[in-house]
Amino acid sequence: VKVLLPPKESNTTVAQFKQMIKQAVSPDLANYQMVQNKYLRLIYQGKILNDNTPLRTLHAKHDDVMHCTVSERASPNESAPL
């Protein structure tokens, strides 16, 4: 699924962007079931992003790639599933 980042001036956080990703997969039932009640991790430039980080601070460019992993459980520093 391809999800575009919000405008650079937006205060969207990583946690909010994870919600946008879940909404983007909702029309596809198989993908929807895959991400609901699961932990999403966003990885950008080799770093796992903290939920409180504003996306604008990443200085992402147009063709940059952000990876999303889905898991059953959280790592020790993660909060409840989004």
Side-chain angles (χ1 to χ4, degrees):
V1 173
K2 183 176 184 176
V3 180
L4 298 177
L5 288 171
K8 289 186 183 198
E9 62 276 0
S10 169
N11 287 326
T12 303
T13 64
V14 168
Q16 292 167 324
F17 190 55
K18 288 178 182 179
Q19 284 294 345
M20 294 168 67
I21 292 169
K22 285 188 176 189
Q23 291 171 357
V25 299
S26 293
D28 181 347
L29 184 59
N31 284 336
Y32 179 77
Q33 291 172 340
M34 179 182 74
V35 298
Q36 293 310 304
N37 300 314
K38 302 284 176 34
Y39 293 92
L40 270 60
R41 284 183 194 89
L42 292 180
I43 302 166
Y44 179 67
Q45 295 184 335
K47 297 176 185 168
I48 296 175
L49 302 179
N50 182 300
D51 282 346
N52 298 323
T53 302
L55 292 175
R56 63 177 156 59
T57 64
L58 302 176
H59 306 288
K61 297 175 207 65
H62 173 69
D63 286 331
D64 284 356
V65 174
M66 192 174 293
H67 296 275
C68 179
T69 65
V70 180
S71 66
E72 294 288 332
R73 57 190 168 92
S75 65
N77 61 346
E78 287 180 304
S79 55
L82 295 173

